[in-house]
Amino acid sequence: MPPPRTPEKRLGHRLAELRGPEVKPRALDARALAALAANPGCRRRAILDGAGVDKGKLASALGSPSVFGQSQFAFVRGNAFEAKVKADGGTELLRLAAEKLDRTAEPPVGARLPDLGAQDSEGRTRRTEEALREAAAERGVWTLLDHPMLALDVAGSPAFLEPDAVVVHPDGSWTVVEIKSFPMLDGAADPAKVGAAARQAAVYVLALERVAERLDPPPWVRHRVLLVCPKDFSNLPTASAVDVRKQRAVTSRQLARLTRIEEIAGTLPDGVCFAPELPPEQLEWSVESVPATYAPECLSACELAFHCRDRSRAAGAVTSLGRPVRAELGGLTTVEDVLAAARGEAGDPD
């Protein structure tokens, strides 16, 4: 007789059923977590992300393909710029960190570059924590962690996150580094892109704080992150210190509001599965069995936004007009209700 399954194994088995037994789970990244935190009431996104469903493939199978994402050219350009920034043992990156964040520290000469290699995400997470512990204990030395692996609990399910870099300062404090390929012109970058980068970096800051809490004494995780971008129209790196305290507080609060994944999974009817190869009718029934909370902001953050927008419009939901409109209308949740009240056909005549 096989041993009984633990709650974690039961949940893992259920999530595998939801995405399809043969489908490899898609890992949550910081961009997805930031988008999830921006709409914590959407149970549909929470369960799809928790199960590791590829929402882009799911949207295409539903006939509402996503039209946003990073182009291959931008991806290659970003990788080339990141390699340039980290060349020669991260000399230029550490110089920018000292210049923008730590002018009183010793110049970064002969920095430590610990090996973070491991076979899987759990192993890389453990190796990252060990390297951070060692670096925090060795004061007076700069340390650069290239693509460390961090873990963050999201609605009862672990998410493994990979920032571009983490710098450990000579005083033992930690800084998140975000490397982006959009330019800084005359020392300033596109505010919308900087805002998106700040929200993404705030997720990394939260994950780093979880690591710091397990150390004694806990190191200081700086709330000013280092944003590195090309200078003007060149490929030379420049940097800016970005304060993410506001984004960190909002993200922490919103992630705490997320309904736990097992609670959502427990409410789903038997037979629900989000494997893209299923017949369209079964796939649409599965998706519609999980309530969504659509808002126009979803169009820039979720691959299923066009599908959810069509259903929201068909139902006459006022949320399709935006959250401010929804907040102004109180208990009137559909356009039909609003028009009926405006004509005096429903509600309090006064």
Side-chain angles (χ1 to χ4, degrees):
M1 183 176 180
R5 286 177 175 164
T6 64
E8 292 78 11
K9 287 187 176 180
R10 286 198 298 270
L11 177 60
H13 180 72
R14 178 57 172 146
L15 295 180
E17 290 179 338
L18 291 175
R19 67 173 175 268
E22 304 301 322
V23 179
K24 185 178 179 180
R26 182 169 182 172
L28 268 173
D29 58 17
R31 184 180 288 108
L33 277 184
L36 184 60
N39 192 3
C42 186
R43 297 166 71 91
R44 182 177 296 169
R45 171 145 198 169
I47 192 66
L48 291 175
D49 283 344
V53 175
D54 188 326
K55 297 191 296 300
K57 291 182 179 179
L58 180 60
S60 297
L62 290 169
S64 302
S66 170
V67 296
F68 70 91
Q70 191 176 40
S71 70
Q72 188 63 29
F73 173 74
F75 184 75
V76 171
R77 182 183 60 189
N79 283 343
F81 178 68
E82 180 176 337
K84 181 180 181 67
V85 171
K86 293 179 178 177
D88 299 323
T91 301
E92 181 63 12
L93 175 55
L94 290 169
R95 185 192 68 79
L96 290 170
E99 176 187 326
K100 301 296 181 179
L101 296 168
D102 209 346
R103 290 179 179 271
T104 60
E106 290 293 323
V109 178
R112 296 174 66 253
L113 300 169
D115 180 14
L116 305 178
Q119 291 185 342
D120 53 21
S121 296
E122 289 85 354
R124 288 182 61 198
T125 301
R126 288 192 296 271
R127 182 66 196 99
T128 295
E129 184 165 341
E130 291 170 3
L132 285 168
R133 181 185 293 108
E134 293 166 0
E138 189 174 348
R139 299 300 176 94
V141 180
W142 288 86
T143 301
L144 176 62
L145 277 65
D146 185 8
H147 283 287
M149 183 67 74
L150 306 171
L152 186 65
D153 182 84
V154 181
S157 181
F160 294 100
L161 310 170
E162 188 177 6
D164 293 328
V166 169
V167 170
V168 181
H169 298 250
D171 63 0
S173 60
W174 303 345
T175 291
V176 168
V177 178
E178 272 290 280
I179 302 174
K180 298 296 185 183
S181 59
F182 56 80
M184 283 190 187
L185 305 176
D186 294 328
D190 183 335
K193 293 180 178 179
V194 172
R199 289 189 293 273
Q200 186 174 336
V203 176
Y204 297 137
V205 169
L206 280 172
L208 264 185
E209 288 177 345
R210 300 297 179 268
V211 178
E213 289 169 0
R214 293 191 288 272
L215 304 186
D216 186 21
W220 171 34
V221 180
R222 295 175 179 240
H223 291 158
R224 289 206 303 164
V225 304
L226 188 71
L227 176 62
V228 183
C229 298
K231 183 178 181 180
D232 298 326
F233 298 102
S234 71
N235 201 36
L236 299 175
T238 187
S240 175
V242 180
D243 193 325
V244 298
R245 280 178 294 182
K246 179 180 178 181
Q247 291 85 350
R248 180 217 163 276
V250 171
T251 301
S252 178
R253 184 170 63 251
Q254 299 292 61
L255 288 178
R257 288 179 54 201
L258 285 173
T259 304
R260 294 181 66 84
I261 299 298
E262 58 263 38
E263 293 180 21
I264 302 174
T267 64
L268 301 181
D270 293 336
V272 169
C273 182
F274 306 112
E277 64 272 10
L278 290 175
E281 298 81 8
Q282 183 180 351
L283 197 57
E284 182 155 351
W285 171 78
S286 296
V287 171
E288 293 305 314
S289 68
V290 192
T293 305
Y294 171 77
E297 293 84 355
C298 296
L299 293 172
S300 62
C302 182
E303 295 88 339
L304 276 181
F306 290 103
H307 173 83
C308 297
R309 181 181 66 176
D310 291 343
R311 299 303 179 272
S312 180
R313 286 176 172 176
V318 295
T319 50
S320 62
L321 303 175
R323 292 192 181 103
V325 175
R326 171 70 184 86
E328 290 290 336
L329 293 173
L332 302 174
T333 59
T334 68
V335 174
E336 183 179 351
D337 291 340
V338 174
L339 295 178
R343 291 191 292 258
E345 300 169 358
D348 187 345
D350 294 331

